[in-house]
Amino acid sequence: MQVSERFLALLTSQLAQFADREDLKSVVVYLALPGADGRLSLMPVGQWPRDGRALPAVASDRTLQMPAEGRRWLPLRHDRALLGALQVESRSLSWPMPLVERLEAVAHCLTEALRIDLERQHLLQRQQRQDEQLRLLIHQLRNPLAALRTFAQLLRRRLEQDSSSRPLVDGLLAEERQLNRYVEAISALAPPEALTGSSGTTPLLLPPVLAGPEGQPLEEVLEPLLQRAAATAALQKRPWQGPSSLPSWRGDSGAVAEILANLLENAFRYSPAGAAVGLLVGRSDGRLSLTVWDAGPAIPEPERQAIFGRGVRGTAGQQLAGTGLGLALGRDLARQIGGDLELLIPPSRIDPALPPQGNGFRLSLPTAAEAPPAQP
């Protein structure tokens, strides 16, 4: 538990008022922090006089654990929760009522300030998690919207100019553009720092409502992804190479679909026009592997690990729209389900039949015995 600078400033001002009490040796404020064993431990956070002494935790100082006539403890307690304690050392064995009342007032003030400070921290952490989830949901929403646009554009190409259905397709595209404007507007609501996860502690994972049911056949979620990829390749007039057969695998197929959707979106977006894109199904170290590859320029060596970081984008994507979350999300999800996601260059390292230049992102999936249990 960390306290804010504002609380520490208040603590210092409250303790400074005892400068007129020559009968007091010291006043120390402790926070109640949970230890490794789950039990609370009192850790010093402020003291008067400020003489530069390094104060030990109560648990490591046996003299503080023994009763003494010149020492008093005042708990900083809110309802039934112990937040900390005020420890006072006196040169005198008498405790005048004005001193006792002042100490109790300071203890009450610090208790309320500490309660508010902790509640504020809790709300800030909650808001940060919500902002992160908002960014993640917006990022994932762009993939199906792009698919709708691709299918509608292909359909419009196939319709005759005088077809009575053409206005319906044009309307569909107009609605997709409007939805994209809404997505961009919502994206602007979350602060930029939520993108990188500055705390470094919140995992970048899908909300439970987006996770697929355990044991869902992978073929069921791969089929629409392959249709989307083939349609995108046709619209961009580039070669597409799909798998000859769909793999038989059961597990968190929803997470696998999200990973592959992001990888395919990146391949189509960042590889140059005319470069081939494909999905290879194979095996690596006895595990099922799914590799999304492209035949474009290889990602530069200094960027090959960095691009898996949250909010990090390679030089090829600096001028294009994006958030830099796709690869970070993909690796986090892969490891959550017991697999992994790695970049192999060139794709021919994975299979000699693949291009000798380009990029290959290989997703390794766990066997049924390796897969972790479903999260509650």
Side-chain angles (χ1 to χ4, degrees), residues 15 18 21-30 47-49 51 53 55-56 58 61-74 85-96 99 103:
L15 296 187
F18 295 105
R21 300 296 310 201
E22 296 182 356
D23 53 339
L24 292 185
K25 292 181 181 179
S26 65
V27 182
V28 182
V29 177
Y30 293 86
Q47 66 189 82
W48 174 88
D51 53 12
R53 288 180 300 150
L55 298 175
V58 172
D61 189 341
R62 292 190 59 83
T63 62
L64 293 177
Q65 303 173 35
M66 305 297 293
E69 292 185 341
R71 177 186 305 138
R72 284 199 177 185
W73 291 89
L74 286 80
L86 189 70
Q87 183 250 328
V88 187
E89 297 281 349
S90 175
R91 294 184 175 88
S92 172
L93 298 183
S94 64
W95 294 85
L99 174 61
L103 289 170

Side-chain angles (χ1 to χ4, degrees), residues 136 139-140 143 195 204 258-263 265-266 270 307-313 322-333 341:
L136 179 57
H139 177 271
Q140 294 306 99
N143 282 336
L195 184 66
L204 183 63
E258 295 293 340
I259 298 169
L260 291 178
N262 282 318
L263 294 177
E265 174 69 16
N266 287 348
Y270 299 128
I307 56 175
F308 286 97
R310 298 159 134 191
V312 177
R313 305 181 66 201
T323 60
L325 286 179
L327 291 177
L329 170 66
R331 177 167 279 182
D332 280 358
L333 281 176
L341 178 63

Side-chain angles (χ1 to χ4, degrees), residues 5 39 43 50 55 68-69 72-73 86-87 112 118 127 130 151 170 204 216 221 235 264 267 279 305 330 363 367:
E5 293 296 328
R39 300 176 61 183
M43 305 294 294
R50 301 181 67 179
L55 298 175
E69 292 185 341
R72 284 199 177 185
W73 291 89
L86 189 70
Q87 183 250 328
E112 289 301 304
L118 295 178
Q127 182 181 6
Q130 290 176 341
F151 286 130
D170 290 339
L204 183 63
Q216 180 184 14
V221 298
L235 191 63
L264 288 167
L279 174 65
Q305 287 303 317
L363 170 63
T367 63

Side-chain angles (χ1 to χ4, degrees), residues 288-344:
L288 174 66
S289 65
L290 303 167
T291 301
V292 174
W293 57 267
D294 68 78
I299 296 171
E301 178 69 38
E303 300 177 5
R304 294 178 185 178
Q305 287 303 317
I307 56 175
F308 286 97
R310 298 159 134 191
V312 177
R313 305 181 66 201
T315 53
Q318 292 300 318
Q319 305 303 319
L320 300 175
T323 60
L325 286 179
L327 291 177
L329 170 66
R331 177 167 279 182
D332 280 358
L333 281 176
R335 291 176 176 176
Q336 183 196 31
I337 65 176
D340 204 357
L341 178 63
E342 58 185 331
L343 170 62
L344 296 174

Side-chain angles (χ1 to χ4, degrees), residues 141-151 176 180 228 265:
L141 183 58
R142 288 191 173 101
N143 282 336
L145 283 176
L148 288 175
R149 180 174 64 253
T150 299
F151 286 130
E176 185 274 332
N180 261 322
R228 182 194 305 179
E265 174 69 16

Side-chain angles (χ1 to χ4, degrees), residues 270-272 275 294-300 316 345 357-359:
Y270 299 128
S271 62
D294 68 78
I299 296 171
I345 296 177
Q357 69 170 25
N359 307 281

Side-chain angles (χ1 to χ4, degrees), residues 27-356:
V27 182
V28 182
V29 177
Y30 293 86
L31 293 184
L33 303 177
D37 57 358
R39 300 176 61 183
L40 289 179
S41 177
L42 292 176
M43 305 294 294
V45 70
Q47 66 189 82
W48 174 88
R50 301 181 67 179
D51 53 12
R53 288 180 300 150
L55 298 175
V58 172
S60 60
D61 189 341
R62 292 190 59 83
T63 62
L64 293 177
Q65 303 173 35
M66 305 297 293
E69 292 185 341
R71 177 186 305 138
R72 284 199 177 185
W73 291 89
L74 286 80
L76 307 182
R77 187 184 300 276
H78 174 65
D79 292 336
R80 302 178 66 179
L82 180 65
L83 306 181
L86 189 70
Q87 183 250 328
V88 187
E89 297 281 349
S90 175
R91 294 184 175 88
S92 172
L93 298 183
S94 64
W95 294 85
M97 186 55 63
L99 174 61
V100 173
E101 292 175 348
R102 189 192 296 188
L103 289 170
E104 290 177 347
V106 169
H108 176 74
C109 175
L110 292 179
T111 299
E112 289 301 304
L114 185 56
R115 176 185 64 82
I116 294 172
D117 195 65
L118 295 178
E119 288 180 354
R120 175 179 175 273
Q121 290 186 50
H122 174 74
L123 291 174
L124 287 176
Q125 292 171 358
R126 180 179 176 183
Q127 182 181 6
Q128 184 179 5
R129 288 193 298 268
Q130 290 176 341
D131 288 341
E132 180 112 3
Q133 288 296 321
L134 177 61
R135 286 283 186 184
L136 179 57
L137 290 172
I138 292 170
H139 177 271
Q140 294 306 99
L141 183 58
R142 288 191 173 101
N143 282 336
L145 283 176
L148 288 175
R149 180 174 64 253
T150 299
F151 286 130
Q153 289 172 338
L154 281 175
L155 182 58
R156 185 169 61 176
R157 283 186 179 183
R158 296 179 182 180
L159 293 174
E160 296 295 335
Q161 196 66 28
D162 59 351
S163 172
S164 59
S165 299
R166 187 178 178 88
L168 297 178
V169 179
D170 290 339
L172 179 61
L173 286 168
E175 293 300 324
E176 185 274 332
R177 288 192 294 270
Q178 183 63 30
L179 282 174
N180 261 322
R181 285 193 285 269
Y182 290 146
V183 168
E184 295 303 323
I186 296 173
S187 179
L189 297 178
E193 56 267 22
L195 184 66
T196 59
S198 56
S199 67
T201 57
T202 305
L204 183 63
L205 299 175
L206 289 175
V209 293
L210 291 186
E214 285 297 315
Q216 180 184 14
L218 185 58
E219 304 99 303
E220 294 179 4
V221 298
L222 272 187
E223 187 63 45
L225 283 180
L226 296 177
Q227 293 175 359
R228 182 194 305 179
T232 303
L235 191 63
Q236 295 182 1
K237 298 181 180 179
R238 70 163 79 220
W240 159 253
Q241 185 176 330
S244 57
S245 61
L246 297 182
S248 177
W249 185 86
R250 288 178 178 269
D252 191 347
S253 298
V256 175
E258 295 293 340
I259 298 169
L260 291 178
N262 282 318
L263 294 177
L264 288 167
E265 174 69 16
N266 287 348
F268 283 113
R269 176 181 296 177
Y270 299 128
S271 62
V277 172
L279 174 65
L280 173 72
V281 176
R283 302 200 73 82
S284 173
D285 297 328
R287 290 178 160 195
L288 174 66
S289 65
L290 303 167
T291 301
V292 174
W293 57 267
D294 68 78
I299 296 171
E301 178 69 38
E303 300 177 5
R304 294 178 185 178
Q305 287 303 317
I307 56 175
F308 286 97
R310 298 159 134 191
V312 177
R313 305 181 66 201
T315 53
Q318 292 300 318
Q319 305 303 319
L320 300 175
T323 60
L325 286 179
L327 291 177
L329 170 66
R331 177 167 279 182
D332 280 358
L333 281 176
R335 291 176 176 176
Q336 183 196 31
I337 65 176
D340 204 357
L341 178 63
E342 58 185 331
L343 170 62
L344 296 174
I345 296 177
S348 56
R349 286 183 56 192
I350 303 170
D351 189 296
L354 296 184

